[in-house]
Amino acid sequence: MEKRSPKSQLPPVKTKKEVEVWVGMTVEELASAMAKDIDCVYEALLNTACDTDSLEANSHLDEVWIKEVIKKAGMKLKWSKLKQERIRENKDAVRRPGADPALLRPRSPVVTIMGHVDHGKTTLLDKLRETQVAAMEVGGITQHIGAFLVSLSSGEKITFLDTPGHAAFSAMRARGAQVTDIVVLVVAADDGVMKQTVESIQHAKDAEVPIILAINKCDKTDADPEKVKKELLAYDVVCEEYGGDVQAVHVSALTGDNLMALAEAIIALAEMLELKADPTGPVEGTVIEAFTDKGRGPVTTAIIQRGTLRKGSILVAGKSWAKVRLMFDENGKTLHEAYPSMPVGIIGWRDLPSAGDEILEVESEPRAREVVEWRKSEQKEEKGKDDLKIMEEKRKEHQAAHRRAREKYGSLHWKERSYMQYLQRKEQRLLKPKEKVERDSSVLPVIIKGDVDGSVEAILNLLDTYDASHECGLELVHFGLGDISENDVTFAETFDGIIYGFNVDAGSAIQQSAAQKGVKIKLHKVIYHLIEDLQEELSRRLPHALEECPVGEASILATFTVTEGKKKVPVAGCRVQKGQLDRQKKFKLIRNGEVVWKGSLTSLKHHKDDVLVIKTGMDCGLSLDEEKVEFKLGDQIICYEENEVPTKTSWDPGF
């Protein structure tokens, strides 16, 4: 029988790797799609008509060269239908180019009053504009940024921005400096330079704004203006009498002394700065404050920086727009026009912009809507990118955890591995209810409601400084503007939280509803009182600490051993120096200032009698509940009791 010739062995067919490419891709993108380095692309294009010397990583490749590289790499080409992302046309509104010098007109200076809390900023403004601002501001601290126009007897005008002097409001002070021409730094002559004073100096320098020093409270007997000037030298604020360029004016906001000299100093500096603006064309400005008024809807306080604002103007700010229905000044008087440097209240906003947003005038309502839609879509796109980053980080964390688990159980037999995983899952199930209780009791959910945008932002900035999450978590459930609503109470009930209201009201019906649902509503008119209240609430949630309170103290005068059955028990002969020894309390043994032992007594005798209490001056013998402890002459025995004391949160918000 003939042998069949063996079938010829065919070599296995090698499938080519498929690479997805698109028109106009760059060198770097092609290398990435091929999973090769950039050098591979350059090598493939050598000895071709392509000018490789001029190729960069971000250079776009023609179709012919993309095909050439793929062919030489031994790969298969697949054209992508639409890889190139469509570039959207930018629909945003932007500021105009610089104005023609011929159009510029002199304008009033915009001045920010800065300084430490209680150094007299509000009183100073009161005197300057001769109105009672303090009636609206409680506790000597300005509650939110306001803007006021002050007309002097000389006919000059000054616009004042009033920023809070509290250490935590650095963001608001920095915003005030964005539209500011001059900073008046108020320092109390009897108090000197404080932490918030230094912060104010830093903000002015960062914004490159000149400073005028107002040394306040010069009417006080312990006032020392020269000390203030010397202290400021350390922070590079050099007054004119020390060879610098900072004007220093000694004032008393309370009595009104020398305030005209301060106003003249501001006007003199403004003339040197040659402040000018273009009052023509579309309006540009900045939102200083934003709040919702019950009868008028969203309202903003703004400073006009260019152009002239009139009724009917279409404005955009942030992600909101307005058709100006009404304009008014700081006294509520209706305005028909607002020029550069003028503070103005604007009514007609569709939504509430944020304090600090740029105001720009556009030609029509459709254009305003287009700008707002563009900005919202940009924000959405940015959020999408951020979300993708977070998802990628989570995926990497999950992969790393999975890899660690594989390494942990990799060497085990599958039965052992399954049993170990079962035990782990069982342990997690047992822990879950307990963990939930602990988490609930160690987290304080809060809801913040404020009167205006700037106040809420200041409170949120303070909450951002919270660094005691290891003691008790602080969870911001919701924040917003306006009075406390039923929705806020429902939120608080759901999360077992507390509602904090700043300069807002809670109606009787809301308070009754909150009482029925067991929800706390806390209303405040001073921001740092609100924060102190929050600190107390956080402290209440912390476990109590044990504090040792001494009851008595005795000195060891002799040591000996007694036999009890088969055991030898060391006994200390003592004399009570202070207080009394109570056998039912706790004791500790002190040697050379260090605690050697803590515990209870097994016996306390006076002569041969067992006693419960030994008083000052009496002798006694005692033995401890730990037999290995050796007594030495001169040791101290302290009798004490442990009392629970409330713990305070370690969070320091900075005031």
Side-chain angles (χ1 to χ4, degrees):
M1 200 171 184
E2 277 185 28
K3 278 188 178 180
R4 286 184 186 175
S5 59
K7 286 183 181 177
S8 58
Q9 297 284 323
L10 292 172
V13 178
K14 204 170 184 182
T15 56
K16 291 183 178 181
K17 182 184 174 183
E18 195 173 67
V19 180
E20 189 175 20
V21 296
W22 57 93
V23 176
M25 73 190 305
T26 64
V27 174
E28 192 173 24
E29 286 169 342
L30 180 56
S32 177
M34 294 166 61
K36 302 274 187 183
D37 57 21
I38 290 176
D39 291 340
C40 177
V41 178
Y42 287 129
E43 285 168 12
L45 294 173
L46 285 172
N47 303 319
T48 65
C50 179
D51 183 11
T52 51
D53 292 334
S54 64
L55 277 184
E56 300 287 341
N58 59 353
S59 298
H60 294 279
L61 293 169
D62 292 337
E63 188 177 326
V64 63
W65 303 128
I66 293 171
K67 286 179 178 177
E68 183 70 21
V69 172
I70 297 294
K71 183 182 171 185
K72 285 190 177 176
M75 297 179 181
K76 190 178 174 183
L77 183 106
K78 181 190 173 185
W79 287 103
S80 171
K81 286 181 183 176
L82 187 66
K83 192 71 184 179
Q84 289 288 74
E85 287 184 11
R86 189 163 54 88
I87 298 169
R88 292 190 303 146
E89 186 188 346
N90 190 329
K91 301 286 181 76
D92 203 1
V94 292
R95 283 182 181 258
R96 291 180 281 152
D100 181 352
L103 296 173
L104 296 177
R105 298 287 179 271
R107 63 173 177 85
S108 306
V110 179
V111 179
T112 299
I113 303 282
M114 288 188 177
H116 187 75
V117 65
D118 294 335
H119 275 198
K121 301 181 304 301
T122 303
T123 316
L124 185 61
L125 277 168
D126 261 0
K127 287 288 180 184
L128 281 166
R129 58 197 160 110
E130 295 183 352
T131 56
Q132 196 56 38
V133 183
M136 297 185 293
E137 297 157 356
V138 184
I141 177 170
T142 308
Q143 301 305 339
H144 51 259
I145 293 178
F148 310 94
L149 189 67
V150 177
S151 297
L152 305 176
S153 54
S154 60
E156 301 281 359
K157 291 182 177 180
I158 304 171
T159 296
F160 284 97
L161 293 187
D162 188 7
T163 62
H166 194 284
F169 305 167
S170 55
M172 292 173 72
R173 282 208 294 263
R175 180 188 305 125
Q178 284 173 8
V179 292
T180 298
D181 301 311
I182 299 166
V183 164
V184 172
L185 182 67
V186 179
V187 187
D190 61 336
D191 208 5
V193 176
M194 305 296 281
K195 182 184 173 186
Q196 291 87 345
T197 315
V198 178
E199 285 182 9
S200 299
I201 294 167
Q202 195 56 50
H203 287 311
K205 288 191 173 179
D206 290 345
E208 297 180 354
V209 178
I211 292 172
I212 291 176
L213 177 62
I215 303 176
N216 194 21
K217 305 188 182 181
C218 287
D219 55 313
K220 287 198 168 186
T221 51
D222 55 347
D224 191 351
E226 293 307 313
K227 181 192 166 198
V228 171
K229 292 176 192 175
K230 286 174 185 173
E231 285 178 356
L232 286 169
L233 291 172
Y235 304 101
D236 202 24
V237 177
V238 186
C239 298
E240 287 174 335
E241 50 260 59
Y242 289 101
D245 56 0
V246 176
Q247 298 179 77
V249 185
H250 300 188
V251 299
S252 170
L254 199 64
T255 62
D257 287 348
N258 232 14
L259 291 192
M260 282 315 296
L262 176 62
E264 285 162 11
I266 293 170
I267 296 299
L269 182 54
E271 285 174 1
M272 285 173 61
L273 295 172
E274 294 185 344
L275 302 172
K276 291 181 180 180
D278 174 13
T280 64
V283 167
E284 295 173 8
T286 301
V287 176
I288 299 300
E289 193 47 86
F291 58 94
T292 302
D293 186 274
K294 279 182 181 176
R296 300 183 291 185
V299 181
T300 62
T301 303
I303 294 285
I304 305 303
Q305 292 165 297
R306 190 174 180 183
T308 301
L309 184 64
R310 296 178 177 89
K311 187 178 175 183
S313 298
I314 310 295
L315 307 175
V316 289
K319 288 177 285 298
S320 59
W321 67 278
K323 182 174 182 179
V324 180
R325 290 203 323 263
L326 182 69
M327 298 184 299
F328 57 92
D329 65 12
E330 67 272 14
N331 299 315
K333 184 184 172 186
T334 302
L335 297 173
H336 299 291
E337 291 183 330
Y339 303 101
S341 293
M342 274 184 72
V344 58
I346 302 170
I347 295 172
W349 293 95
R350 296 301 188 269
D351 298 297
L352 195 67
S354 297
D357 281 348
E358 181 182 64
I359 294 174
L360 297 172
E361 185 179 356
V362 293
E363 59 272 17
S364 64
E365 289 187 28
R367 173 66 180 133
R369 289 192 194 96
E370 185 181 57
V371 171
V372 169
E373 285 304 315
W374 162 265
R375 290 179 178 181
K376 285 179 178 175
S377 66
E378 282 288 287
Q379 186 189 36
K380 194 175 179 181
E381 202 171 293
E382 285 299 316
K383 188 179 183 298
K385 288 177 184 175
D386 292 342
D387 290 347
L388 278 174
K389 282 182 188 174
I390 293 165
M391 284 163 66
E392 183 61 23
E393 285 170 9
K394 290 283 182 190
R395 188 182 65 79
K396 285 180 180 176
E397 283 175 19
H398 180 72
Q399 283 181 338
H402 180 66
R403 197 161 47 247
R404 285 195 297 271
R406 287 282 297 273
E407 288 168 3
K408 184 178 177 183
Y409 300 121
S411 60
L412 297 175
H413 186 268
W414 70 269
K415 285 185 178 178
E416 292 174 316
R417 185 162 65 242
S418 299
Y419 180 64
M420 293 288 284
Q421 288 171 340
Y422 161 74
L423 288 179
Q424 197 173 9
R425 285 195 299 272
K426 186 180 175 185
E427 188 180 343
Q428 283 173 346
R429 276 200 302 272
L430 289 170
L431 280 173
K432 273 179 184 174
K434 187 179 176 185
E435 281 174 356
K436 187 175 186 299
V437 171
E438 285 176 0
R439 187 172 67 248
D440 288 347
S441 61
S442 62
V443 175
L444 175 60
V446 294
I447 291 163
I448 304 291
K449 293 298 288 284
D451 57 342
V452 293
D453 191 61
S455 299
V456 173
E457 186 189 0
I459 296 167
L460 297 190
N461 284 344
L462 278 167
L463 298 190
D464 283 343
T465 68
Y466 186 69
D467 55 1
S469 298
H470 58 288
E471 298 171 350
C472 177
L474 180 60
E475 187 178 347
L476 180 64
V477 174
H478 173 67
F479 65 89
L481 302 182
D483 291 342
I484 313 292
S485 66
E486 187 60 46
N487 192 36
D488 299 324
V489 175
T490 307
F491 258 126
E493 183 190 21
T494 305
F495 289 93
D496 190 25
I498 297 174
I499 301 171
Y500 281 96
F502 176 73
N503 264 349
V504 295
D505 293 322
S508 56
I510 297 293
Q511 291 190 350
Q512 282 176 3
S513 171
Q516 286 168 2
K517 293 175 180 177
V519 171
K520 285 185 190 173
I521 296 178
K522 302 201 167 196
L523 304 176
H524 291 275
K525 297 211 176 280
V526 178
I527 287 180
Y528 51 79
H529 288 175
L530 184 151
I531 296 301
E532 284 167 0
D533 190 316
L534 183 56
Q535 284 177 298
E536 287 172 14
E537 280 295 337
L538 287 162
S539 299
R540 282 195 199 103
R541 298 203 169 214
L542 301 181
H544 282 199
L546 290 175
E547 188 177 73
E548 293 180 2
C549 297
V551 175
E553 186 182 314
S555 300
I556 297 178
L557 304 177
T559 62
F560 46 92
T561 306
V562 296
T563 306
E564 289 183 0
K566 292 183 178 180
K567 286 196 296 184
K568 290 188 175 180
V569 179
V571 174
C574 307
R575 179 169 295 153
V576 181
Q577 307 291 345
K578 290 181 189 172
Q580 60 183 31
L581 305 189
D582 186 333
R583 186 178 166 178
Q584 294 175 326
K585 307 281 185 198
K586 295 190 174 184
F587 288 80
K588 58 184 175 183
L589 179 66
I590 308 287
R591 181 174 301 149
N592 299 327
E594 291 184 6
V595 178
V596 177
W597 161 89
K598 273 187 176 184
S600 307
L601 300 184
T602 51
S603 71
L604 180 64
K605 296 193 176 190
H606 180 58
H607 300 309
K608 292 188 178 181
D609 300 324
D610 283 313
V611 289
L612 286 175
V613 176
I614 299 286
K615 296 186 177 178
T616 306
M618 294 173 66
D619 294 336
C620 65
L622 54 85
S623 57
L624 314 180
D625 60 3
E626 193 177 326
E627 294 171 12
K628 292 179 182 177
V629 177
E630 291 183 10
F631 296 114
K632 288 190 178 178
L633 297 182
D635 285 355
Q636 300 286 311
I637 291 281
I638 308 291
C639 173
Y640 68 94
E641 58 187 0
E642 288 181 337
N643 296 330
E644 283 193 349
V645 291
T647 310
K648 283 190 175 180
T649 178
S650 62
W651 174 39
D652 178 13
F655 49 77

